[in-house]
Structures are given as C-alpha cells and as structure tokens.
Amino acid sequence: MATFHLKVMTVDRCFYDDEVDQIVVRTTQGDVGILPHHVPYTAALGIGGLTIFQNGQSRVAAIAGGFVDVSGEQTVVLARTCEWADEIDINRAREAAERARAILQQKESDHEHDIAQVKLKKAINRMRIAGDK
C-alpha cells in the first residue's frame, strides 16, 4: 500500500514525523481526508480531531488551530495545540470547561466572551477525543 510522509509540528515540539497510510483532519471547513498522491492543498485547521492511519492501526489526537499543507513531498500539519487522546488530562479539561462556562455566564465584554467560547470549544473537544462523554 502507498504511504506518504506526515510531519505534525506544534509551537514547542515535533509531535509526529513518519510515513502514514492516511489522515483525517478537522479544518475550518470540516473534516478532510488525505491519502497518498493527494493534490496540493492548504487549509486552516479548526478545533477537532486528527486521526492518523498507519499499518492498519489508527491513533487520534485533539487538535486546535493552525494549518495543513499537502505537497508532493509530504503533508505538514502546523498546529497551535495537538495531543494524543491517551495523554489528555480529563480532569484538567473538565475544569477548563467549567471556567469557560462561568465566564460566559458573567456577561463580560464581547472580547472576553469570544475568548471564553473558544476555550470552551477546546475543552469539550479534548474531552470528546479522550472518550469522556
């Protein structure tokens, strides 16, 4: 089976760097599947999942913000945040969601409201990816 090179970079580390069969990543326009020999493509990332398929196995990570760039040589994901499902601290994600909800209820400024909404979406995404209902 054909593969392609995937590199996932965050602000503080190289998150992933290997050959893969396929990925599915959340963009701002929805989920996009990337297979070997995909046409050149660039998109902004949303808040969601990154599923990596390799050797018949799949692994999921929570991802938020950044870009995906597909070229003939490789696919590069530059993400603001990215963490494997099994590395997510569920309690920390729940606490972040509660803090964001509290801010949303306080009727703060539009700017603070917008920030709290994004933080809530990220926390809910992390809980969902980790399998917490």
Side-chain angles (χ1 to χ4, degrees), residues 83-96 123 126-127 130 132:
E83 61 187 317
W84 295 117
D86 57 1
E87 295 175 349
I88 294 172
D89 182 337
I90 294 288
N91 290 328
R92 198 174 117 222
R94 285 184 191 136
E95 290 167 3
R126 292 177 70 234
M127 291 185 297
D132 187 48

Side-chain angles (χ1 to χ4, degrees), residues 3-120:
T3 62
F4 63 96
H5 193 83
L6 172 66
K7 184 177 272 191
V8 180
M9 304 291 296
T10 66
V11 173
D12 58 350
R13 68 179 172 146
C14 179
F15 182 81
Y16 189 89
D17 189 3
D18 204 355
E19 295 295 309
V20 299
D21 303 324
Q22 173 185 0
I23 68 168
V24 176
V25 64
R26 173 70 47 93
T27 72
T28 56
Q29 301 300 307
D31 289 344
V32 174
I34 308 293
L35 294 166
H37 312 295
H38 196 284
V39 297
Y41 174 78
T42 302
L45 297 176
I47 298 171
L50 166 65
T51 306
I52 298 172
F53 298 89
Q54 182 183 45
N55 300 323
Q57 303 285 324
S58 66
R59 192 158 185 207
V60 180
I63 197 163
F67 295 90
V68 59
D69 181 63
V70 181
S71 69
E73 295 81 45
Q74 67 180 347
T75 295
V76 177
V77 174
L78 300 172
R80 285 194 188 124
T81 63
C82 190
E83 61 187 317
W84 295 117
D86 57 1
E87 295 175 349
I88 294 172
D89 182 337
I90 294 288
N91 290 328
R92 198 174 117 222
R94 285 184 191 136
E95 290 167 3
E98 289 308 312
R99 283 192 305 273
R101 286 184 181 108
I103 291 169
L104 289 171
Q105 301 228 346
Q106 292 174 5
K107 309 266 194 244
E108 297 292 333
S109 70
D110 288 345
H111 179 71
E112 289 174 343
H113 187 270
D114 292 345
I115 291 171
Q117 282 185 319
V118 171
K119 287 183 178 185
L120 179 58

